[in-house]
Amino acid sequence: MDDSYDNRTSLVKGAKDIAKEAKRHALKKVNKVVDSATDEYSQRKYNRFQNELDEGDDFFHNPDRQDGGYNDNDQASDASDATEGHDDEDEIYEGEYQGIPAAGDGRAREGHVALGQPVTDSLRERKELEQERQADEEELAQQYELIIQECGHGRFQWQLFLVLGLALMSDGVEVFVVGFVLPSAETDMCALGGSSSRSGWLGSIVYLGMMVGAFFWGGMSDKVGRRQCLLICMCVNGFFAFLSSFVQGYGIFLLCRVIAGFGTGGVVPIVFSYFAEVLSREKRGEHLSWLCMFWMIGEIYASAMAWAIIPHYGWSFSMGSAYQFHSWRVFVVVCALPCVCAVVALTFMPESPRFYLEVGKHDEAWMILKQIHDTNMRARGQPEKVFTVNRIKIPKHLDELVEMKSESGNPVSKALFRMRTELRGIWVNFMKCFDYPLKDNTIRLAVVWFTLSFGYYGLSVWFPDVIKHLQADDYASKVKTHSNELIEDFTFNFTLENQIHTNGVFINDRFISMKLKSVTFINSTFTNCYFDDVTSVGSYFRNCSFIEAFFYNTDIDDSKLIDGTELINCVFHHNKTGCQMTFDDDYSAYWVYFINFLGTLAVLPGNIVSALLMDKIGRLSMLGGSMVLSGISCFFLWFGTSESMMIFMLCLYNGLSISAWNSLDVVTTESFPTDRRGTGFGFCNALCKLAAVLGNLIFGSLVGITKAIPILLASSVLVCGGLVGLRLPDTRANVLM
């Protein structure tokens, strides 16, 4: 029994001794590997100290050997258990692999850190880290270009092309909606009273919202993602654009259009950034140009719908006299449909893989790139082809000091804090666009965007008013004048249009179910007259007298009775509220919208030509040449004295300027790195909307006075902008940094 116990004890002790010996040998091997790795890093990163050691610096009396321990001339006492490890299996001396200098050195050599602890950012210069990140980004850009080429160009890109095209189309529609509904809205809401300055502000209100939205959403897309920001901003646009078609108050209508503009402002910078990041270098210029075509399709859609819907004033209903839903409101609803379709389609598309790589989400980016590859390969009939990419370079992220908010705060303060933090981040990223080497390019791009949009929007958005002014002059030349007439006991039950009645006398006359369009009564007298269901648009009674007149269900009020008109013993019952839109046969409305439709059709040939020649001629040649030529064509609008001449020059101008827009979109997308692409593009697009506001106001205030100043101004800024555009760097051979 005792022998059996002793045998077991001996066996256990032997096993323990074997385990200790194995552990000791394993630890020694680990030490050697650690020393080799540490000194290899030190030799590569801090080799500048090797020259000092070779010259026999007195600071080190015993230079280190190559493998990180001591050299062969060390005394035997130096090679003690302290450097090789104690015999005790649970204790190892760490001086061997911590990079501690030789005896006599009172401090650790620079570049040596404890094994297993990363080299923190605080131990290296910020500039060195930024250079390292820049090198990583260049390596990622080259690798990503090869990956996109391996994924191919096929079904996935075309699907995304159509989805983003719908989004861009909704932006093009939004830009022209207000310009088209302006004449009808100012009549329907009784708010503008024909004031050109207030009309200009109504036309500009959407651009103010777009200006803020472009900067905000462009910056946010660099922080939270292209797809997510695009979905949010388009939902905001669609909801408030739809809501604006139902509101009756002028102030609420403006508020809805401002918020809708704020939403749609982010579409252009996000869409082009998003699509460019799934295109290879040789496909980028052409397909971004094809994508630009959807913006003009949106303009064509808006023009066609305005031509087909707005003049049909019978397409309306009312709930009493307070709530009126006229045809222009139907037009606003129809124009919101592309935005709704884009939102639905966008929910099925993935995030930009290039953005995921930029923020360090390697696995998510790899899955999307594999999806792109597999989708395109299946469409080609090669489903067996394997996606060969295993690892993708991730740029080093620089540590930033982030202020944290206490979890105990209330939700409102948390939301405000988060908003303030995001806005600060957008501003910091925006300021980086003015760092070297982007500063000069950013300024030049800003100048080109401002000048091109000032000329384009200044002419195109307010061109309906130019035609309207010419038609008004022609209309006024055909006015019929009646003087010193005496009409007694007569029934007016038909429309009176474009007439002036001076010194007339109306006795016992009946005005029943009739319409007054652009009719003015001056110094006239109405005695014992009966007015029933009378609608007046652009009609006024100047210095007239109403004696014992009876008004029932009419819109004649103080705004129509002007210049000292007297009311003596008159009675008003059930007056109509609101303004009346009763142009059943308004030829001028058809004509204005048809002209815009022709002008937008003229851009299609320019779109096709620019897409086919973008990579052959070059972005800069097309940008500068198109702006100079469109400026020259704009100058000749000054000599247009007839409607036909103005229409021809408008079509020519639109066809020439579209190439400049397409090339500018491509150049802007390729000029900014991924982490600032949305921010930089958003800034340029915000300047575009600011120029649109200024052009709108200037043209709106001068269109009824003179056409020379705005046309000459637009022509000069276009030519100057084209010359600046020629000084931009050629981005045709760039990979997306």
Side-chain angles (χ1 to χ4, degrees), residues 353-409:
R354 186 66 178 86
F355 169 78
Y356 272 151
L357 291 173
E358 192 66 29
V359 297
K361 296 183 178 181
H362 174 277
D363 295 343
E364 292 87 343
W366 186 88
M367 291 297 295
I368 295 174
L369 288 169
K370 185 177 184 301
Q371 175 187 348
I372 297 173
H373 175 274
D374 294 345
T375 301
N376 291 340
M377 292 306 109
R378 283 195 301 269
R380 294 181 183 180
Q382 300 173 328
E384 71 284 351
K385 197 167 184 179
V386 179
F387 185 53
T388 60
V389 177
N390 294 322
R391 297 294 301 173
I392 308 174
K393 182 69 176 179
I394 299 294
K396 178 177 178 58
H397 285 263
L398 304 181
D399 295 335
E400 295 182 358
L401 182 62
V402 179
E403 183 183 359
M404 302 301 292
K405 183 71 174 177
S406 173
E407 292 294 330
S408 61

Side-chain angles (χ1 to χ4, degrees), residues 549-610:
F550 184 85
F551 298 87
Y552 180 83
N553 192 28
T554 70
D555 63 352
I556 299 175
D557 54 19
D558 292 339
S559 64
K560 309 290 179 67
L561 307 173
I562 61 176
D563 295 345
T565 296
E566 294 183 304
L567 298 174
I568 303 173
N569 296 329
C570 297
V571 179
F572 290 84
H573 281 295
H574 300 288
N575 257 28
K576 296 179 179 180
T577 58
C579 293
Q580 309 301 314
M581 302 180 64
T582 57
F583 304 125
D584 295 327
D585 302 309
D586 195 349
Y587 171 76
S588 63
Y590 280 102
W591 186 237
V592 169
Y593 300 130
F594 179 68
I595 291 170
N596 277 274
F597 180 68
L598 292 178
T600 52
L601 280 180
V603 307
L604 285 180
N607 254 309
I608 296 173
V609 170
S610 64

Side-chain angles (χ1 to χ4, degrees), residues 711-727:
I711 289 177
L712 287 175
L713 183 60
S715 178
S716 61
V717 298
L718 284 170
V719 173
C720 293
L723 297 178
V724 174
L726 292 173
R727 295 181 59 83

